[in-house]
Amino acid sequence: MRIVLLGAPGSGKGTQAALMVERLGIPHISTGALLRNAAKRGTELGLKAKSIIDRGELVPDEIMSDMIEERLGREDVADGFILDGYPRNLAQAKSLDTMLERLNQPTNEAIQIDVDLDQLVKRIARRAKKEGRSDDTEEVVRNRMRVYHEQTAPVIDYYADRGLLSHVLGDGEVEEVLERILSVLSVNQTST
Ligand code: AP5
């Protein structure tokens, strides 16, 4: 199963993807995590990305497309994957489709996790205290939300137009949200 997870910053994409890995047995690919790891390792790409991430802007499409192409070329995605953080604008959505068509492995499902703004702000503020992620400051979060609404939200319609989109309510306990996602995917919720 090839799944794209969509949702605003703090909506729970990373949290849900990590749980879905255990239930679906396919890898979680988070472009945010790939970029943060590259920054931690101090690679040229990582350092360039860090200054962009710390402003809450999007890393250029060519860099992201190379990164995703490399990742989707690995063996562990043979049975599918859960994409979290990509695509993030229409150009990336089209580029992903082209890439997957070439591999004869089109996206099966796009899931939009819906959470209201108050809740998102609370979650990110909590994480900021706990983890101190450099892009979780108030000013940067405001910019991430703006970028999300301007550039990423149109991707929701992109998948809706292709008949691939489902909305899932992201409020409540993480396990509840997971069950909603598995139900949309028609995965047996009692399976391990
Ligand atoms: P990325 O890492 O993708 O960040 P994001 O989309 O802003 O998402 P977050 O990680 O903030 O939230 P999430 O939805 O994963 O929620 P989470 O599970 O963490 O990207 C970071 C940056 O990298 C971007 O701004 C950009 O600069 C760059 N980038 C990445 N991809 C790119 C791309 N494709 N193109 C260009 N640039 C790119 O949950 C949030 C918090 O809430 C956690 O503390 C969690 O414990 C908590 N939580 C989760 N679920 C619940 C729940 N049900 N109840 C209560 N708390 C919950």
Side-chain angles (χ1 to χ4, degrees):
M1 207 179 290
R2 293 169 293 279
I3 304 164
V4 168
L5 277 188
L6 302 168
S11 57
K13 303 182 294 295
T15 303
Q16 292 302 324
L19 297 172
M20 289 163 73
V21 167
E22 291 167 25
R23 301 287 278 264
L24 303 175
I26 50 177
H28 168 201
I29 301 175
S30 157
T31 45
L34 289 172
L35 291 167
R36 283 187 289 277
N37 285 341
K40 220 179 271 172
R41 290 199 312 276
T43 64
E44 195 184 336
L45 181 153
L47 296 176
K48 184 177 176 192
K50 181 163 171 41
S51 70
I52 299 171
I53 292 172
D54 287 351
R55 295 197 306 273
E57 299 291 338
L58 294 186
V59 173
D61 291 343
E62 317 80 69
I63 293 180
M64 298 315 301
S65 143
D66 288 350
M67 180 177 275
I68 278 294
E69 187 149 23
E70 188 278 327
R71 185 62 188 86
L72 294 181
R74 295 199 211 158
E75 276 180 16
D76 65 342
V77 301
D79 292 332
F81 50 78
I82 304 156
L83 262 185
D84 152 20
Y86 191 94
R88 232 172 170 101
N89 59 29
L90 286 175
Q92 292 185 6
K94 288 174 191 163
S95 161
L96 177 65
D97 270 355
T98 306
M99 225 179 276
L100 293 176
E101 272 160 26
R102 212 166 42 228
L103 298 168
N104 210 13
Q105 295 192 327
T107 303
N108 306 118
E109 300 273 356
I111 296 178
Q112 164 72 15
I113 306 178
D114 294 316
V115 176
D116 67 40
L117 184 62
D118 276 2
Q119 198 54 240
L120 295 173
V121 169
K122 275 186 199 147
R123 287 183 188 179
I124 293 180
R126 227 170 7 235
R127 183 174 63 190
K129 273 197 197 138
K130 221 162 94 188
E131 296 174 23
R133 209 170 105 173
S134 60
D135 60 346
D136 275 348
T137 61
E138 199 181 323
E139 190 190 344
V140 178
V141 170
R142 206 172 298 126
N143 198 37
R144 285 164 62 197
M145 293 295 179
R146 182 189 62 77
V147 168
Y148 172 77
H149 286 293
E150 289 178 6
Q151 301 195 46
T152 311
V155 175
I156 302 170
D157 287 340
Y158 178 88
Y159 284 108
D161 290 346
R162 280 155 187 74
L164 296 174
L165 184 79
S166 300
H167 284 267
V168 163
L169 180 66
D171 270 353
E173 297 295 322
V174 290
E175 286 294 339
E176 280 174 352
V177 180
L178 175 67
E179 295 307 321
R180 288 178 202 137
I181 292 175
L182 294 177
S183 151
V184 157
L185 296 172
S186 304
V187 171
N188 177 2
Q189 280 121 294
T190 56
S191 67
T192 51

